[in-house]
Amino acid sequence: MKYALKIAIRGLKKGKLYTVIHVFGLTLGITACLLIGTVVIDELSYDKQWSRSADTYRLLSIREGGGAYSQKGGTVYAGLAPALKQHFPEVEDYSEVYPVPAHLKIGKTDPLPLEATMLHADTAALRLLDISLLAHEDLNPAGGINKIILSESFSRIHFGGRNPLGERIYDVPQYGEHAQEYIIAGVMKDIPPNTHLRADMILLKERQEHALAKDGQGPGMRYARHYLLLREGTDPRQFEQKISSWYARFTENDKMQFALQPMADIYLKTDFPAYQLVKGNIQHSYIFAAVAALLLLIANINYINLSTARASSRLKETGVQKILGASRKRILLQSLLESLLIFSMAGCLAALCYQLAFPAMERFIGYPLAFSFTAAGPYFACALIAFFSICLFSGLYPAWLVSGFRAVGTMQQVLKTGKAGQGWLRKSLVVAQFAISIAILVAMLIVQQQVAFLKTRDVGFGTEGLLSVNHVSWDNKSEALRNELLRNPAIQSLSFTNWLPTDGAGPMLNSIPDPQDPTEQIELWYIDGEPNMAQTLGLRLSEGRFLDPANMGDAIQANDFEAMDGLRPCLMTASTARLLQVSELNRPLQKAGIIPVGIVEDFNSESLHKQTVPTVIVGYRDPAYGALLIRTQPGMETAVMRDIAAVWKELYPEKLFDIKVVTETLAHQYAAEEKLQKLFRTFSLLTMLLATMGIFGLVVHTLGLRVKEIGIRKVLGASVMGIAGLLSKDFVKLVCAAMVIASPIAWWAMNKWLEDFAYRIGIQWWVFVAAGLTAVIVALVTVGWQAIRAAAANPVDSLRDE
């Protein structure tokens, strides 16, 4: 064994260039695979760590609006879960749980609030989520006392080493004028980061057990986010049907259905409104997994390709070994040992790079990872098994090839030609490498185009110079705020509203009969705002008139519920007018409770992942709470925000001030796509680099075998460029073949990805040409540089021994 190791090390030293290419390429491939694999495994692990995860479900509602207007949602009536526990033995327990962003002060007079996530939950959630308490006092939230449980890390960061139990922290309120006080009643181990309920603390709430009312009234009919714990062995699909059937009988309403979403599916498979702060994308996880596998595949193709190519240069060595009595088994093991040494060096370097890059990766994705390959456990063992399996697989074919040559045939082949066969395999592997590289480059270009399209597409309202202040209570100071702000000459207009861009389709929904088919329903969304909201937002009027602030009939008092039941003047989007067959303005639509006075061009109230929905805008006055839209002169946003902050401090000294530039808010909707774009840039660079390294090694090896041929051609009068072209054309043909193979695959894959967007680009032909030309240029530069060097060499040096 010692002798074999010495020979293996000597062989690696002899081919230093190839050893470096092998180790560097494998290091890149393994590191990238480990990093991407970590993210993918972490994403797939969400909410599977709870002891009863398999029996825990989120309760969903499905409103049967008819046709395309059926909608699934993450909220249900608050009285439903208690009723299910009362009537069905399958329900072991339930809990209302939801995380919300919180702005807190440790001391009441602290100048700046800190941001945290607070999990609102009843005490049943402590069992549901396996909360481990490190220290606690009385946790009973009865009596209206706000009791919270801090995470261990939050307590350590903000309270140091002292015991925080019994101390108070304070919120910066959105609603009301005075800060709420929270008593610290416990400290718990950190909630694992791989959960959609990720939070820094838990606010304990009393369990609400209001009855479900048949008439749709009462506290049991408010909306809640409920989780059910079912008894082991319960079939969730059958239980869904039982819930829906029971509810239809109980309320005599068959338009509402219910579904159970498994706890482990919530993070990656929620493609409906669910008021969910932490959400992933299963499609992105599949993409990352595929890319990780492809990067590792390219690195292994490099190794196999160069190893099989070098087998021909080791024919003489193999022949001598066989003549001296070496068995095929011994030569096979010798070659495998070299593979093991190369993979071991690459594995050690990859482990180091992985450890160094791990914090940077967490910063890039924006949240901590619960999973790491460096932690001992089943995944670490699987990674080791996979590593040695890949090592064996990658090294086996070259080793089999080297050990399989017959001694006499080997020596005769070396003496006659200096070459060996297996060219078809090397060409196939080069084509595979560049096909993968071109496909990923095409994906990068298409993602880049789509992201640019999302950020620049006209959304139907004026985004430049538009600011938004998040929802708060106005505490009878809305007019004072308006008057102070309008003194600023840079503010052109402002409007109080209960909707902001990116808030969703609207705060209120009504199902009305479809004029074309009364048996079907149309879901109509309502946006409330002051009469001038459409002008402040920058909507474009196509017919009729805007709501008029001077016309008292165009708006109702914000809290006049009786007036809300009457007919209200409204603006309507153009597509809504067509859908409702509105041929004449100022005619009441009784079922919808509106009188259209104007039609505006369609605008996107949600992200461009979704189509525009039927929307109307109705007016209100003197709101008690809501949000604020402010139209400024373009370019003056930063200065105006400072002035608004000063006014806010005077009127609302304790209230949360959350102001945003709307263009930035809209762009933030596509943060996941922007990260995907950056990742694909990195992926395309890595794949092209690995493919280039592989072709570089092959060129160096090929030129070494053809050095005498090049010398003879030069003696016979061939030019340097002619020889370089002759040597390059074979590789260019392979890259062109790769482009032909990669293009349809990339087109199909990116078409599937684009289906997630209601508004998307068309895939252009030039994208494939650009990716292919890039690969050809890279190959030409790599091959041509080495070919010119070889062709420019003095032929005397290569033919001296002939």
Side-chain angles (χ1 to χ4, degrees):
M1 185 63 185
K2 182 178 179 182
Y3 172 77
L5 184 62
K6 186 184 293 185
I7 295 297
I9 293 172
R10 188 180 297 165
L12 296 180
K13 286 182 178 179
K14 184 179 178 181
K16 290 179 182 176
L17 175 62
Y18 301 106
T19 302
V20 170
I21 292 174
H22 284 323
V23 172
F24 184 69
L26 287 169
T27 300
L28 273 182
I30 295 171
T31 303
C33 186
L34 287 175
L35 288 171
I36 300 169
T38 298
V39 175
V40 172
I41 293 173
D42 188 80
E43 295 268 296
L44 296 175
S45 72
Y46 268 62
D47 291 305
K48 292 179 180 177
Q49 68 272 21
W50 315 120
S51 60
R52 297 292 302 277
S53 174
D55 302 314
T56 305
Y57 299 84
R58 180 164 65 181
L59 195 53
L60 307 178
S61 59
I62 305 173
R63 180 192 293 269
E64 297 292 342
Y69 297 100
S70 297
Q71 186 179 19
K72 184 184 289 186
T75 58
V76 295
Y77 293 129
L80 180 62
L84 294 179
K85 189 174 188 305
Q86 178 183 354
H87 291 90
F88 294 96
E90 292 94 333
V91 179
E92 184 174 323
D93 208 347
Y94 68 91
S95 179
E96 183 177 4
V97 188
Y98 55 95
V100 296
H103 298 79
L104 305 168
K105 291 183 177 181
I106 302 300
K108 201 169 187 178
T109 58
D110 288 356
L112 294 174
L114 56 93
E115 294 184 0
T117 302
M118 182 180 288
L119 191 67
H120 291 232
D122 54 38
T123 52
L126 301 183
R127 299 186 299 275
L128 201 71
L129 302 179
D130 302 328
I131 298 300
S132 178
L133 295 170
L134 301 175
H136 67 93
E137 296 178 344
D138 180 18
L139 298 178
N140 187 357
I145 300 173
N146 293 318
K147 294 184 177 182
I148 60 171
I149 303 173
L150 301 182
S151 68
E152 185 179 13
S153 58
F154 188 92
S155 174
R156 183 175 60 253
I157 292 169
H158 298 288
F159 291 92
R162 73 179 190 270
N163 182 3
L165 295 183
E167 294 196 33
R168 275 117 170 111
I169 60 175
Y170 307 88
D171 80 333
V172 181
Q174 285 181 263
Y175 299 95
E177 294 190 77
H178 303 292
Q180 285 196 71
E181 183 179 87
Y182 300 103
I183 298 175
I184 301 171
V187 177
M188 63 182 174
K189 286 186 177 180
D190 290 354
I191 295 175
N194 56 334
T195 173
H196 74 286
L197 298 173
R198 192 187 303 153
D200 302 295
M201 60 195 68
I202 296 175
L203 173 62
L204 295 171
K205 311 281 283 187
E206 284 190 81
R207 171 175 278 194
Q208 304 294 319
E209 297 185 344
H210 300 298
L212 189 66
K214 293 185 178 182
D215 59 1
Q217 304 296 319
M221 304 308 289
R222 71 174 177 87
Y223 288 107
R225 283 163 273 185
H226 272 138
Y227 293 76
L228 296 183
L229 178 63
L230 302 185
R231 299 194 185 279
E232 292 184 16
T234 301
D235 186 329
R237 302 287 79 86
Q238 291 183 6
F239 189 56
E240 283 177 349
Q241 297 173 5
K242 290 176 72 173
I243 296 173
S244 299
S245 299
W246 174 83
Y247 182 85
R249 293 193 305 271
F250 182 79
T251 62
E252 299 180 357
N253 174 13
D254 60 356
K255 296 296 184 182
M256 184 73 80
Q257 302 291 315
F258 298 94
L260 297 174
Q261 185 179 23
M263 190 75 156
D265 288 352
I266 294 175
Y267 174 70
L268 286 176
K269 298 179 181 179
T270 298
D271 55 355
F272 49 85
Y275 307 98
Q276 189 174 318
L277 296 182
V278 180
K279 187 186 294 187
N281 187 316
I282 189 68
Q283 189 182 56
H284 289 180
S285 296
Y286 292 150
I287 290 171
F288 294 156
V291 169
L294 291 175
L295 284 168
L296 189 59
L297 178 62
I298 290 181
N300 280 279
I301 286 175
N302 265 355
Y303 179 80
I304 295 171
N305 221 356
L306 278 179
S307 297
T308 53
R310 287 196 66 213
S312 62
S313 64
R314 301 181 67 176
L315 293 178
K316 189 182 296 184
E317 175 191 338
T318 304
V320 170
Q321 285 180 321
K322 288 208 167 187
I323 289 171
L324 294 176
S327 65
R328 181 173 185 178
K329 180 180 178 182
R330 180 174 176 180
I331 297 171
L332 181 72
L333 292 175
Q334 180 73 48
S335 184
L336 283 175
L337 185 59
E338 288 186 19
S339 297
L340 181 60
L341 286 174
I342 288 172
F343 269 84
S344 296
M345 286 188 285
C348 291
L349 288 172
L352 178 62
C353 294
Y354 173 78
Q355 196 71 19
L356 294 173
F358 194 86
M361 183 176 63
E362 286 189 315
R363 288 193 297 272
F364 175 75
I365 62 177
Y367 56 86
L369 293 167
F371 172 78
S372 170
F373 278 111
T374 55
Y379 283 105
F380 179 74
C382 289
L384 283 179
I385 293 170
F387 175 79
F388 286 111
S389 299
I390 291 169
C391 172
L392 180 64
F393 172 78
S394 301
L396 195 58
Y397 179 72
W400 174 83
L401 188 64
V402 170
S403 64
F405 292 127
R406 290 182 297 124
V408 175
T410 295
M411 298 305 292
Q412 287 177 344
Q413 189 173 4
V414 172
L415 292 173
K416 286 180 181 179
T417 66
K419 299 181 185 178
Q422 310 302 325
W424 66 270
L425 176 64
R426 292 197 293 278
K427 289 178 182 179
S428 301
L429 293 176
V430 169
V431 169
Q433 277 185 309
F434 274 96
I436 294 169
S437 301
I438 291 169
I440 291 179
L441 186 56
V442 167
M444 185 270 289
L445 292 172
I446 292 173
V447 170
Q448 187 169 297
Q449 286 182 286
Q450 178 66 12
V451 170
F453 171 78
L454 293 173
K455 296 172 76 172
T456 57
R457 186 185 186 277
D458 181 11
V459 292
F461 56 87
T463 58
E464 295 299 322
L466 189 62
L467 304 176
S468 66
V469 176
N470 203 5
H471 298 263
V472 294
S473 61
W474 300 117
D475 306 327
N476 298 316
K477 299 177 183 178
S478 58
E479 281 305 309
L481 178 64
R482 184 201 310 275
N483 295 334
E484 287 295 324
L485 293 183
L486 289 178
R487 290 180 182 178
N488 190 326
I491 295 178
Q492 297 174 343
S493 67
L494 61 83
S495 178
F496 292 94
T497 172
N498 68 353
W499 172 88
L500 292 175
T502 74
D503 270 2
M508 191 171 75
L509 174 67
N510 186 20
S511 295
I512 61 174
D514 187 337
Q516 299 182 41
D517 184 0
T519 63
E520 298 289 339
Q521 296 285 308
I522 292 176
E523 291 194 337
L524 187 62
W525 292 91
Y526 295 73
I527 293 175
D528 289 298
E530 291 191 304
N532 70 332
M533 192 200 83
Q535 294 99 313
T536 301
L537 190 59
L539 298 180
R540 297 185 283 269
L541 188 70
S542 59
E543 187 179 346
R545 64 176 179 86
F546 283 116
L547 297 177
D548 185 359
N551 184 347
M552 296 300 292
D554 276 0
I556 64 170
Q557 286 296 118
N559 296 322
D560 188 346
F561 297 104
E562 186 176 337
M564 287 183 185
D565 292 333
L567 293 170
R568 302 174 65 182
C570 77
L571 295 175
M572 180 178 288
T573 61
S575 61
T576 307
R578 290 192 297 270
L579 189 65
L580 297 181
Q581 299 181 344
V582 175
S583 57
E584 182 182 346
L585 296 177
N586 299 304
R587 288 185 60 183
L589 298 177
Q590 297 289 345
K591 295 291 185 182
I594 54 175
I595 305 173
V597 299
I599 296 175
V600 296
E601 293 181 16
D602 286 351
F603 66 97
N604 293 99
S605 55
E606 300 179 274
S607 81
L608 296 179
H609 287 89
K610 301 177 181 179
Q611 289 282 2
T612 55
V613 295
T615 304
V616 298
I617 299 173
V618 292
Y620 69 8
R621 302 180 188 278
D622 305 323
Y625 53 85
L628 181 63
L629 286 170
I630 302 168
R631 173 69 61 183
T632 72
Q633 296 176 8
M636 296 294 291
E637 293 92 341
T638 303
V640 169
M641 287 168 71
R642 285 197 299 267
D643 294 342
I644 295 173
V647 172
W648 191 274
K649 189 70 175 175
E650 289 293 323
L651 291 173
Y652 302 108
E654 293 189 22
K655 192 180 293 292
L656 178 68
F657 179 59
D658 184 9
I659 189 168
K660 291 182 174 68
V661 180
V662 169
T663 52
E664 295 175 359
T665 306
L666 293 174
H668 186 69
Q669 295 179 110
Y670 312 112
E673 285 73 23
E674 285 201 74
K675 284 184 180 179
L676 187 65
Q677 175 187 343
K678 292 175 182 177
L679 286 170
F680 265 115
R681 283 178 186 167
T682 305
F683 298 156
S684 59
L685 178 64
L686 284 175
T687 53
M688 197 60 72
L689 176 61
L690 288 169
T692 303
M693 287 173 55
I695 206 170
F696 173 78
L698 281 177
V699 169
V700 171
H701 176 73
T702 302
L703 294 176
L705 293 178
R706 300 178 68 177
V707 65
K708 289 182 175 63
E709 176 193 338
I710 293 169
I712 292 170
R713 287 181 182 276
K714 285 204 69 178
V715 169
L716 294 176
S719 67
V720 171
M721 295 309 296
I723 294 173
L726 180 68
L727 296 170
S728 301
K729 69 177 183 179
D730 289 338
F731 288 100
V732 172
K733 287 178 183 177
L734 297 178
V735 176
C736 290
M739 182 172 67
V740 172
I741 294 170
S743 295
I745 296 172
W747 178 87
W748 174 82
M750 295 316 295
N751 251 332
K752 295 294 288 183
W753 179 73
L754 287 170
E755 286 176 2
D756 192 42
F757 300 90
Y759 301 89
R760 51 184 178 265
I761 60 168
I763 299 178
Q764 304 294 319
W765 62 267
W766 65 262
V767 172
F768 304 98
V769 175
L773 281 177
T774 301
V776 169
I777 291 169
V778 168
L780 275 176
V781 170
T782 306
V783 176
W785 170 50
Q786 287 296 318
I788 290 171
R789 283 186 60 192
N794 190 342
V796 174
D797 295 332
S798 59
L799 300 175
R800 182 174 297 160
D801 58 345
E802 295 296 318

